[in-house]
Amino acid sequence: MSADPRALRGSAAIVGVAESDRLGKLPNVSALQLHMEAAHNALADAGLRKSDVDAVFTSGRNMANDVPEYLGIRPRFVGGTQVGGCSFILHVEHAMAAIHAGLCEVALITHGESGASRIAMPAPRWGDDSTNVQFEQVWGTAGPPTGYGFLATRHMHQYGTTKEQMAEVAVATRKWAALNPKAFARDPLTIADVLGSRLISWPFNLLDCCLVTDAGGAAVVTSAERARDLPKRPVYVLGTGESVTHQMVSQMPNFDRWDAAEASGARAFAMAGVSRAAIDVAEFYDAFTITPILALEALGFCQRGEGGPFVSGQRTAPGGDFPMNTNGGGLSYTHTGMYGIFTIIEAVRQLRGECGERQVPGATTAICHGTGGVWSAAATMIVSTET
Amino acid sequence: MSTTYSGPIPKPTPETRPFWEAAKQRRLVIQACDDCGLRYFYPRPLCPGCLSRRVRWIDASGRAVLHTFVINHRPPRNYPLPAPIVIGMVQLEEGPRMISHIVGVAADPAALRCDMPLEVVFEDITDEITLPKFQPRASA
Ligand SMILES: [Zn+2]
């Protein structure tokens, strides 16, 4: 039996994607309702019915039980991998493997999170006997803004990366958001605005940090063969990779680079067999302005330490030569707490040519990449209109 | 003291209790593996390098460097210290890294530098729990 992951290359396709009915501040909608709305909309987009679904993938505590119950689906294959915000990109890989093995045929991946309004959300607190409280939270760490900041500070020290370069990411991303009617924050933004916003956790100002919103998202994955019979143009999964290096950020192997992403990216490119130059659109999880800078380095679009110069001069903005986070990203479009599903939704829409004003002309190949936890997990996926 | 501390208070578990007992005595201890030689933190009864059970507690020197840091202007709700707080990723001379407060220095990026030398100090937060913290080393 071969362990060559290239056997999976192009074997599955994403055939439906959608958000919940609305995104933003939704104080009258529960987290599970957001899953359900997105699932409904994604199945409609795929031209499939609920009865076609035989596998459910989702993330979050109890969610692999909750979602099938709430949607009234009895999957014969279920995936509940929870490694944080990039979990849904891993789910595509896991769905593709299960479909390839004949364990299921139509996989529904759902996400819903009442990130801002906290309606029917599980309690987030760690116990006082957890390693998190004993060895991190007792010192007043405050979740992602603390943990992501450690890499930003070290990167600035080691490579001379500047806060202005980080701000370039927020400004470019906002320009894409201005072209997306669904984006939460669409007002023009300058580098001075980012640097002048209040300090959250130095080196991050408020506008270096992602939004906090309520939203759902879903994707439908099936075999490449079945995808060809469905109404919309299939988006084939050419390469995937995943990696986990730690849970607590104090256990991160290195602070000047992102080891998990180097691993996931290398696997995805090896499976896909495409070059970096072939990528037309990049959808990178932007929990903070530093996150896509580290992703660019880890995925080999530039050398270690060159991510800051790479994003300078609005290179990732509309009209730039590296279209990145074309929906407006977690910094301006939506960020529920687990943003990964939205990278998938936007990549598929770009490759289908459905993006209106923000459409990247002639895009045929896209990369999705995400983080989970505090740089803990990474997942990478390369998709294309052709196999 | 123990009745007024409002932040998260570690509740030791069997594998971490020796660390907290030592801290109460103003000693910083880590673990070392007799099979692969790895010195590690946080406490675990099997070596995360090779899964050997032949691990023992050793005293750390208390000397460290500031590998990286953030200055937290928005500590968690009910956290007992006023913002901003300097939270360091401290690299111990023995190798392992741990999170701690950096004290005795202004909460200002101009006053802090990655790789600056540090030394451990101890602060009681309750009758049971003493935290190791780090200050700039007097004689680098
Ligand atoms: Zn060992």
Side-chain angles (χ1 to χ4, degrees):
Chain A
M1 172 127 183
S2 167
D4 182 4
R6 289 193 64 135
L8 291 176
R9 183 190 186 279
S11 66
I14 303 169
V15 294
V17 291
E19 299 109 330
S20 48
D21 296 349
R22 289 179 299 148
L23 304 85
K25 308 279 185 196
L26 307 170
N28 298 316
V29 186
S30 77
L32 277 166
Q33 184 179 337
L34 294 165
H35 280 261
M36 181 180 250
E37 289 180 5
H40 174 274
N41 297 340
L43 285 168
D45 185 58
L48 289 167
R49 290 168 305 175
K50 191 182 82 165
S51 55
D52 294 310
V53 175
D54 60 0
V56 171
F57 293 79
T58 189
S59 200
R61 198 174 71 189
N62 299 332
M63 283 296 170
N65 298 114
D66 275 340
V67 169
E69 176 193 286
Y70 198 89
L71 270 60
I73 294 174
R74 293 184 187 178
R76 65 182 172 120
F77 195 97
V78 65
T81 303
Q82 158 64 319
V83 292
C86 65
S87 298
F88 313 97
I89 303 174
L90 275 78
H91 292 162
V92 174
E93 174 171 282
H94 299 179
M96 181 163 64
I99 291 165
H100 188 73
L103 297 173
C104 59
E105 189 178 16
V106 175
L108 175 63
I109 301 169
T110 75
H111 164 66
E113 192 163 348
S114 183
S117 304
R118 313 302 298 175
I119 306 301
M121 287 289 291
R125 195 172 179 277
W126 294 97
D128 290 342
D129 59 356
S130 65
T131 51
N132 289 67
V133 167
Q134 291 191 64
F135 301 113
E136 296 202 342
Q137 292 180 16
V138 67
W139 285 285
T141 58
T146 307
Y148 280 77
F150 286 130
L151 267 78
T153 303
R154 186 72 198 179
H155 209 266
M156 291 166 73
H157 168 79
Q158 188 146 338
Y159 298 114
T161 307
T162 65
K163 283 179 56 59
E164 286 77 8
Q165 289 166 340
M166 288 158 56
E168 291 256 14
V169 173
V171 171
T173 309
R174 181 63 63 86
K175 289 177 185 168
W176 287 110
L179 305 177
N180 181 359
K182 289 182 179 171
F184 186 79
R186 304 182 66 202
D187 295 336
L189 191 67
T190 66
I191 289 174
D193 292 336
V194 179
L195 300 180
S197 59
R198 66 187 161 86
L199 273 166
I200 299 296
S201 186
W202 190 92
F204 294 145
N205 296 71
L206 179 68
L207 294 173
D208 285 300
C209 305
C210 63
L211 302 169
V212 182
T213 60
D214 309 315
V220 183
V221 180
T222 191
S223 66
E225 189 178 12
R226 181 149 183 196
R228 292 184 190 106
D229 297 331
L230 295 175
K232 288 202 173 173
R233 183 176 196 179
V235 170
Y236 298 101
V237 183
L238 298 190
T240 54
E242 62 183 68
S243 183
V244 173
T245 54
H246 60 277
Q247 191 269 115
M248 291 191 288
V249 71
S250 54
Q251 303 300 308
M252 186 150 184
N254 289 291
F255 287 83
D256 61 341
R257 59 183 187 263
W258 186 3
D259 290 84
E262 290 188 5
S264 71
R267 293 175 74 90
F269 275 102
M271 192 196 297
V274 302
S275 68
R276 272 68 177 175
I279 301 295
D280 301 309
V281 185
E283 306 299 342
F284 289 163
Y285 202 115
D286 51 350
F288 298 90
T289 50
I290 192 68
T291 324
I293 291 175
L294 267 293
L296 285 161
E297 297 177 9
L299 299 176
F301 289 98
C302 59
Q303 297 296 307
R304 275 187 203 148
E306 292 179 357
F310 187 99
V311 300
S312 294
Q314 293 297 288
R315 186 172 178 190
T316 65
D321 73 352
F322 194 87
M324 183 176 90
N325 298 350
T326 54
N327 53 2
L331 290 166
S332 287
Y333 149 73
T334 202
H335 197 303
T336 52
M338 292 196 283
Y339 173 75
I341 191 77
F342 302 102
T343 67
I344 300 169
I345 294 168
E346 179 68 4
V348 168
R349 286 179 176 155
Q350 283 286 347
L351 299 194
R352 287 173 173 175
E354 295 177 343
C355 287
E357 270 196 280
R358 69 181 192 281
Q359 180 65 44
V360 174
T364 62
T365 305
I367 188 167
C368 298
H369 177 79
T371 177
V374 274
W375 306 100
S376 310
T380 313
M381 175 174 80
I382 296 164
V383 289
S384 181
T385 53
E386 306 294 333
T387 56
Chain B
M1 174 163 63
S2 58
T3 53
T4 57
Y5 189 84
S6 61
I9 299 174
K11 182 178 174 191
T13 54
E15 72 265 45
T16 68
R17 186 164 287 113
F19 172 82
W20 292 113
E21 291 293 335
K24 207 164 137 182
Q25 299 160 16
R26 289 169 151 64
R27 289 166 49 228
L28 182 65
V29 297
I30 60 173
Q31 283 171 298
C33 174
D34 283 337
D35 280 327
C36 76
L38 183 71
R39 290 172 292 191
Y40 64 91
F41 182 81
Y42 58 97
R44 278 156 281 183
L46 280 75
C47 169
C50 70
L51 285 187
S52 168
R53 293 175 189 271
R54 300 204 317 132
V55 298
R56 61 196 159 86
W57 292 94
I58 60 170
D59 279 292
S61 68
R63 284 187 296 274
V65 294
L66 180 59
H67 188 64
T68 185
F69 63 93
V70 298
I71 303 172
N72 192 350
H73 289 256
R74 295 193 59 195
R77 200 155 44 90
N78 296 330
Y79 199 72
L81 295 184
I85 306 169
V86 182
I87 302 177
M89 187 68 65
V90 172
Q91 177 138 26
L92 305 179
E93 191 173 65
E94 291 77 15
R97 294 192 186 112
M98 63 183 296
I99 285 182
S100 186
H101 289 157
I102 309 305
V103 297
V105 62
D108 177 348
L112 294 149
R113 179 171 55 76
C114 289
D115 300 330
M116 67 191 281
L118 304 170
E119 64 191 5
V120 72
V121 292
F122 291 92
E123 188 177 321
D124 301 326
I125 60 166
T126 69
D127 291 338
E128 304 301 320
I129 296 295
T130 298
L131 296 184
K133 299 190 173 187
F134 288 81
Q135 66 186 14
R137 204 184 305 165
S139 54

